[in-house]
Amino acid sequence: MSAVEDGFDAQVDLTADFVRFPSTRGNEATAQDFMAAQMRARGWDVDRFRIDLDAIRHLPGFSPVHVSYDDAWNVVGTYRAPRPEGRSLILNGHIDVVPPGPAGMWTHPAFHPHRSDGWLYGRGAGDMKAGLIACLAALDAIHRAGFQPAADVIVQSVVEEECTGNGALACLAKGYRADAVLIPEPLHECLIRAQIGVIWFRIELQGLPVHVAQAGKGANAIIAAYKVIEALGALETKWNVAKSEDRHYKDVAHPINLNIGKIEGGDWASSVPAWCAFDARISILPGQDLNDAKSEIERIVAEAARDVPFLVNNPPEVIFNGFEAEGYVLKDAEVPVTALAQAHRTVSGHDLNEVASTATTDARFFGLYGKMPALVYGPAAEHVHGFDERVNLASLRNVTKAMTLFIADWCGLHSKNG
Ligand code: ZN
C-alpha cells in the first residue's frame, strides 16, 4: 500500500497525459501507441493488433457495425511470470471515450486534463482512463515493493467498448485467457454483480415532400418519428415491469432505459420533410433473449407505422448498428470475489458493496463466452458521458491499493530477483 502511495503522483500525471488523447471512436490509435510504449517500457510482450471483422463476426456476442475498423487497434501487454505458480489474471480497460458534446458546457476543455480539489477532470478521466492506468500503477507498485506476480498478468487496452464491445471480443478471439478478469470501470468502489444488456438501433423514416402551402398533401417524416418514439417509450415501460421477476433488478428504480440519442431529418423549413432518422439505445434484463427483444422492437415500430397513412406503404426501416449485448450476472466466482472483497476491506475498512448496473461493460465477453469470472470494480467518478467528467483521486488511490492487494493475493508473489 505504501508502494502505491509512493507512485501515486506519477500515476495521476500519467492518467492526465492519457486524457489528453481525444480517443473518441475511430481516433484511438495514438492513445494506443502511447499505451503500447508504456507496456514496452515495463518489459512486457506487446501485441498491437487491428480488429479483424472476419475473425469475430460469427462469434457469439458480436455486434454489427457500419464503420471501418481500418484504424481500430487493440493493445495487449503480457507480463509472463518466470516460474508461474499462482492464478493468472486479465486486467482489462477501454481506451475509447464518448464525444465531449458542446465545448461551451465544459469549464475547462474536455481534453485538457485539469486537477483541482481532489478531482481530475476531462473526458475519459473517469470512464475509464484512470482505471486503465491503475492497472499499470498496481503492477508498478508490486515491482516497487520488490516483488513480481507469481502468475501471468495480461493487460488489455481495448477499443469499441462504448458502442459494440468488439474490441474485447477480438481479444477473446485471439485466445487470451486467464483464471479471472478485473475491469476497473468507474463503479464507486462497488462490484458489479449483474449488468443489463444493450441494443442499439437506427430508425429511418420516409415522408412525402411538398411545399408547406400544401402540407396536407404531403407526409411529414419528422412528425411520424414522434409516433414511433412514443411507441418505443411504451415498450420501455413494458420491459421495466418485468423487473419484478428479476432478483438483481427488482429493487432498481428504472433498470430499462430507452435513449433517443441522435436525430436528424428534413432539408428546409418550408418543405414537408422527406426523411427523418434517429439513433436509439434500449436495454434488456439479464436472461431476456436478445433476438426476441430485437424482433419486438421491429414489431413495435411496424405497428406504430400502421397509424401513419404514408408509412403503411413505406414502412420505416430498423437498422441494428451497434451493441447487441446480452445481460450478464457474475456467478461461480466466490474465490475471486472473496479475494477482492478482502483487498477492498483492508484498504477502506468497509465491506464490498455489490450493485446491479443499468449499463453494460465488456465483462460479458469474459463471463458469458470465455467462461472466466469477470469482476468490475473501480474508482468513484462523476458526470461520465456528461460534461466536466471527473474522477475522484482519493478513491482512485484506494482502488489502486485494492487492485494491488488483489493481484498479490490472486496471482501470488515472488521476490523480484526470482
Ligand atoms: Zn466505461
Side-chain angles (χ1 to χ4, degrees):
M1 285 163 68
S2 65
V4 171
E5 212 54 76
D6 292 345
F8 193 67
D9 280 338
Q11 178 185 347
V12 175
D13 287 347
L14 187 59
T15 305
D17 288 344
F18 212 41
V19 171
R20 229 163 255 126
F21 291 94
S23 56
T24 51
R25 189 186 199 184
N27 303 302
E28 307 93 340
T30 51
Q32 290 291 57
D33 293 344
F34 180 80
M35 176 52 89
Q38 289 293 326
M39 291 171 168
R40 265 184 221 110
R42 286 163 175 77
W44 305 341
D45 286 347
V46 176
D47 180 9
R48 181 172 166 276
F49 64 97
R50 218 190 310 247
I51 301 181
D52 176 5
L53 273 173
D54 291 330
I56 60 170
R57 72 169 90 247
H58 60 286
L59 295 176
F62 175 74
S63 291
V65 281
H66 301 277
V67 297
S68 162
Y69 277 173
D70 285 353
D71 219 14
W73 297 90
N74 278 336
V75 173
V76 178
T78 302
Y79 158 79
R80 290 196 167 82
R83 290 181 291 112
E85 287 174 355
R87 294 164 292 206
S88 59
L89 180 65
I90 289 175
L91 299 169
N92 169 289
H94 64 88
I95 190 96
D96 53 320
V97 302
V98 299
M105 296 186 78
W106 288 78
T107 309
H108 298 274
F111 296 109
H112 291 204
H114 171 79
R115 193 173 167 168
S116 125
D117 297 332
W119 297 82
L120 179 70
Y121 290 79
R123 168 60 82 233
D127 188 10
M128 60 169 290
K129 287 173 172 172
L132 199 43
I133 295 301
C135 299
L136 306 183
L139 291 162
D140 289 349
I142 288 171
H143 192 260
R144 195 177 298 116
F147 296 101
Q148 53 189 350
D152 295 352
V153 181
I154 300 165
V155 180
Q156 303 179 338
S157 176
V158 301
V159 293
E160 286 283 304
E161 191 274 346
E162 298 283 5
C163 39
T164 61
N166 289 340
L169 180 60
C171 290
L172 197 62
K174 272 208 127 190
Y176 288 104
R177 293 291 184 280
D179 295 319
V181 181
L182 178 63
I183 306 180
E185 287 272 14
L187 256 295
H188 297 259
E189 303 179 38
C190 296
L191 173 76
I192 294 189
R193 178 57 73 171
Q195 63 182 48
I196 47 82
V198 170
I199 300 172
W200 270 19
F201 55 98
R202 177 179 172 86
I203 310 265
E204 294 185 355
L205 299 113
Q206 298 176 56
L208 185 62
V210 295
H211 190 291
V212 66
Q214 283 98 40
K217 292 204 170 78
N220 188 317
I222 293 176
I223 299 295
Y226 278 64
K227 293 264 180 220
V228 175
I229 290 170
E230 220 177 288
L232 289 168
L235 182 65
E236 179 197 38
T237 304
K238 182 188 152 194
W239 284 0
N240 269 306
V241 171
K243 75 169 189 171
S244 59
E245 309 290 317
D246 188 293
R247 134 178 130 78
H248 298 286
Y249 286 93
K250 63 179 188 314
D251 298 324
V252 176
H254 198 269
I256 303 300
N257 291 306
L258 167 72
N259 188 46
I260 309 300
K262 261 172 78 181
I263 188 161
E264 52 192 340
D267 301 296
W268 192 249
S270 288
S271 303
V272 171
W275 66 284
C276 181
F278 65 90
D279 287 81
R281 172 270 197 202
I282 197 165
S283 41
I284 56 174
L285 292 170
Q288 191 177 347
D289 185 86
L290 183 87
N291 288 318
D292 289 352
K294 286 171 63 186
S295 304
E296 197 166 355
I297 291 167
E298 287 173 322
R299 189 168 53 74
I300 290 288
V301 171
E303 273 172 19
R306 255 175 247 139
D307 293 338
V308 182
F310 180 77
L311 294 185
V312 172
N313 293 319
N314 303 276
E317 222 182 315
V318 182
I319 300 155
F320 295 99
N321 63 344
F323 279 124
E324 289 193 6
E326 295 185 87
Y328 166 58
V329 176
L330 178 64
K331 283 187 286 216
D332 305 323
E334 288 331 299
V335 182
V337 168
T338 302
L340 182 64
Q342 177 61 45
H344 174 80
R345 202 176 302 113
T346 302
V347 174
S348 69
H350 302 291
D351 287 342
L352 179 59
N353 281 329
E354 300 191 355
V355 292
S357 170
T358 52
T360 184
T361 74
D362 279 341
R364 67 187 184 278
F365 294 100
F366 303 100
L368 293 176
Y369 316 122
K371 304 293 172 223
M372 295 174 254
L375 280 47
V376 183
Y377 166 86
E382 291 182 347
H383 316 310
V384 302
H385 292 224
F387 64 95
D388 288 348
E389 176 178 347
R390 61 183 190 170
V391 64
N392 184 281
L393 297 177
S395 176
L396 178 61
R397 183 192 269 116
N398 281 348
V399 162
T400 308
K401 288 178 182 173
M403 288 171 69
T404 307
L405 296 180
F406 173 74
I407 296 167
D409 182 10
W410 184 257
C411 301
L413 295 178
H414 285 150
S415 79
K416 208 160 51 182
N417 306 318

